[in-house]
């Protein structure tokens, strides 16, 4: 879980942010594409689904002290987690418009059912 480019204190900050999003979310830190750049790759996985996020080391260090930067980084991680979660669901083949029309047709059909136990008015 420890990246080579990320100091221990910054890694603990990142761990706190990831755990605040989802406690079952596992993560690993990978080095950036270029050693001269101060970026690293955050690899998230949960139940066989994976996603990656590129984070600047300056953003992570700013998240230690500034709550706005911390929340911005947390929202990026949460958005990635939600995207992974959405991809797990099977998309409807017909689309949402046709599914809504079929659902509405079923509700209209249920509204016109005859009531057999209904009393007729006395005359």
């Amino acid at each position: 879980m420890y990246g080579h480019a990320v100091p221990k204190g910054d890694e603990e900050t990142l761990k706190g942010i990831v755990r605040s999003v989802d406690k079952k979310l596992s993560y690993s830190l990978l080095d950036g594409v270029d050693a001269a750049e101060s970026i690293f790759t955050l690899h998230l996985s949960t139940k066989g689904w994976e996603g990656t996020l590129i984070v600047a080391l300056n953003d992570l260090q700013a998240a230690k002290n500034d709550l706005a930067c911390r929340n911005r980084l947390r929202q990026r991680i949460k958005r990635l987690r939600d995207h992974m979660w959405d991809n797990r669901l099977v998309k409807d083949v017909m689309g949402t418009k046709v599914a809504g029309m079929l659902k509405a047709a079923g509700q209209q059909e249920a509204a016109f059912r005859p009531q057999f136990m209904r009393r007729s008015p006395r005359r």
Side-chain angles (χ1 to χ4, degrees), residues 3 7 30 54 97 108:
L30 306 172
I54 296 175
K97 185 174 182 180
Q108 289 175 356

Side-chain angles (χ1 to χ4, degrees), residues 9-112:
D10 294 336
E11 202 273 335
E12 291 297 324
T13 302
L14 184 64
K15 179 181 178 182
I17 294 171
V18 170
R19 293 294 177 244
S20 72
V21 171
D22 190 357
K23 295 199 184 324
K24 295 182 180 179
L25 194 61
S26 61
Y27 70 97
S28 62
L29 300 174
L30 306 172
D31 288 337
V33 269
D34 188 12
E37 295 181 21
S38 61
I39 61 171
F40 63 94
T41 303
L42 177 64
H43 182 79
L44 301 174
S45 63
T46 177
K47 298 180 184 174
W49 298 93
E50 301 176 347
T52 57
L53 181 69
I54 296 175
V55 180
L57 190 59
N58 296 335
D59 292 341
L60 183 58
Q61 289 172 349
K64 273 174 135 176
N65 301 324
D66 189 14
L67 292 178
C69 292
R70 183 181 181 98
N71 191 40
R72 193 176 313 122
L73 181 59
R74 183 180 181 278
Q75 291 297 322
R76 286 181 61 196
I77 294 170
K78 190 173 180 181
R79 192 177 312 126
L80 177 64
R81 193 263 331 231
D82 291 342
H83 180 71
M84 290 177 355
W85 188 260
D86 287 343
N87 286 342
R88 291 177 57 183
L89 302 176
V90 177
K91 301 295 182 192
D92 190 7
V93 177
M94 296 181 293
T96 55
K97 185 174 182 180
V98 176
M101 290 171 37
L102 289 174
K103 184 178 177 183
Q107 289 175 350
Q108 289 175 356
E109 184 178 302
F112 293 118

